[in-house]
Amino acid sequence: MQVQATAEAPSSSSGLSYKLHPLAIVNISDHYTRRVMAARQRQAKGAAPAEGGGEVERVIGLLLGEQHGRVVEVWNSFELDIRRIGPDGSIELDRDFLLQRKEQYQKTFARLDVIGWYSTGQGPPGQKDLELHNTLTEFNEAPVYLVLDPLDSRELPVSLYETETRFVDGEATQTFSKATYTIETAEAERIAVDHAARIVSGSGGAGSSAADSRSELTSQHTAHLAGAHGAVRMLASRVRVLHEYVELVRAGQLPYDHALLRDISSLTRRLPAMNSDQFQQDFLTDYNDTLLVTYLASITKGTSAVNELVEKFNVALDPLKSRRRGYLSV
């Protein structure tokens, strides 16, 4: 079977659904950034470039995730060590390092398996990528290939490929096919990524105090709550407009618009049933959890205030300092 890479990768026909989580993308970006900074530091010091010349800035790693039926989720990733880059562009990985890192990650994240690999680069994958792709089939019989283009101006310059066997001129040929993906974000991931993005964009200098950091976090939280409150108010105002329209139509003051009424009916049918026992139970559970968190926050705040008061009291009424003040006053 021949191995071939097309100039324009065709669309995948496997029917698999891919979901990328932010942690994997952040890890790949961080890996590339560290490699570039290390190369610039070597150049600044006048050191010889690493083996491989211009390919030093290319980074390679494995993708970790899980597959449920036709859905493949990419949860995490870890970097690999490139042992040698040949003159023809062939890449030799450090196999001992790969097996060691794989064992370490599977001890910590037992449910995650190797589902593919990633690399940085420009343009569609080439034949050397297919050769490296085939060497990783021992960890997954059908690995997925993620490419991050650091020079692409798109908002998310990430492409996903999988291999398919196609018949070209009557001969079986293995080619890369471009797969579609969606970004899947859990609540904890969304908060963490948003927090990291805000810290990076608004981080102060080295002399920033802890009080300034707490004030900045508080302002960020306030801005987030204000945005959520504004969205809820906008939603309530639009629902109010629809409700007033339906009431006017029912009273005969406005003519029937059947298309609009069908849209309103379709919208209301999407809402969950609010009178079910399951909803009441879930609502009360969330409500009690929120009250508990608020109560614990109040206790923590009160404990901190009492601790600060005790420290001030000890400083003001220290026995040794009191004796010194009495001796000086005599």
Side-chain angles (χ1 to χ4, degrees):
M1 182 176 65
Q2 293 184 352
V3 177
Q4 177 181 342
T6 58
E8 290 284 343
S11 299
S12 173
S13 58
S14 65
L16 293 177
S17 176
Y18 293 96
K19 297 181 180 180
L20 299 183
H21 287 261
L23 179 59
I25 302 175
V26 171
N27 285 343
I28 299 171
S29 177
D30 176 71
H31 186 190
Y32 174 77
T33 303
R34 286 187 285 106
R35 182 63 62 86
V36 172
M37 294 304 297
R40 290 178 180 177
Q41 290 178 0
R42 286 195 300 267
Q43 293 178 359
K45 294 179 180 179
E51 185 178 2
E55 295 289 340
V56 66
E57 295 183 359
R58 186 181 186 187
V59 297
I60 295 177
L62 289 186
L63 300 173
L64 300 177
E66 53 187 350
Q67 180 174 356
H68 300 286
R70 310 296 294 176
V71 179
V72 180
E73 290 194 61
V74 181
W75 284 91
N76 204 346
S77 65
F78 66 86
E79 59 193 69
L80 296 179
D81 186 17
I82 301 177
R83 176 175 294 177
R84 186 179 64 86
I85 300 178
D88 58 346
S90 60
I91 298 176
E92 180 182 354
L93 300 176
D94 189 340
R95 181 176 176 81
D96 295 335
F97 178 80
L98 187 156
L99 295 177
Q100 180 182 5
R101 293 299 299 274
K102 177 177 176 292
E103 182 181 1
Q104 292 173 348
Y105 268 84
Q106 288 188 337
K107 286 182 178 179
T108 308
F109 309 99
R111 66 184 181 88
L112 300 183
D113 297 322
V114 176
I115 61 172
W117 63 293
Y118 71 83
S119 173
T120 54
Q122 292 82 41
Q127 183 173 352
K128 298 302 178 183
D129 296 319
L130 271 171
E131 295 176 359
L132 179 60
H133 185 88
N134 290 331
T135 62
L136 298 175
T137 53
E138 62 174 299
F139 305 107
N140 189 306
E141 61 181 8
V144 62
Y145 177 33
L146 187 149
V147 181
L148 173 67
D149 189 351
L151 302 182
D152 197 335
S153 59
R154 290 181 299 168
E155 184 175 356
L156 186 61
V158 173
S159 300
L160 212 60
Y161 298 91
E162 55 185 4
T163 54
E164 291 183 346
T165 301
R166 300 174 183 268
F167 286 91
V168 179
D169 297 331
E171 187 174 0
T173 304
Q174 189 179 20
T175 61
F176 273 120
S177 299
K178 197 168 185 179
T180 58
Y181 64 88
T182 57
I183 301 298
E184 185 76 10
T185 308
E187 184 67 18
E189 291 177 314
R190 186 189 65 79
I191 295 175
V193 172
D194 182 69
H195 174 72
R198 290 177 181 271
I199 293 299
V200 170
S201 61
S203 59
S208 298
S209 62
D212 294 338
S213 300
R214 288 193 298 269
S215 176
E216 181 180 357
L217 292 177
T218 303
S219 62
Q220 293 172 2
H221 182 64
T222 303
H224 173 72
L225 292 179
H229 181 259
V232 172
R233 289 183 58 187
M234 180 63 68
L235 176 62
S237 65
R238 294 181 178 180
V239 171
R240 191 180 303 111
V241 170
L242 294 178
H243 181 264
E244 292 176 355
Y245 170 77
V246 173
E247 291 294 335
L248 292 176
V249 170
R250 177 182 297 179
Q253 300 181 15
L254 289 178
Y256 281 87
D257 187 341
H258 296 284
L260 181 57
L261 291 176
R262 282 195 297 268
D263 291 338
I264 296 176
S265 177
S266 175
L267 179 63
T268 55
R269 291 179 184 276
R270 296 178 186 176
L271 299 177
M274 298 302 180
N275 297 326
S276 63
D277 296 335
Q278 183 65 33
F279 172 78
Q280 294 294 335
Q281 182 179 356
D282 294 341
F283 176 78
L284 290 177
T285 300
D286 292 341
Y287 181 69
N288 291 332
D289 291 343
T290 303
L291 290 180
L292 179 60
V293 171
T294 305
Y295 180 62
L296 292 177
S298 301
I299 293 177
T300 303
K301 186 176 180 180
T303 304
S304 177
V306 171
N307 186 35
E308 184 178 356
L309 178 61
V310 171
E311 290 181 357
K312 293 180 179 179
F313 183 81
N314 291 334
V315 171
L317 300 179
D318 183 77
L320 181 59
K321 292 183 178 180
S322 299
R323 287 197 297 269
R324 289 179 179 177
R325 286 197 296 269
Y327 174 78
L328 292 174
S329 60
V330 172

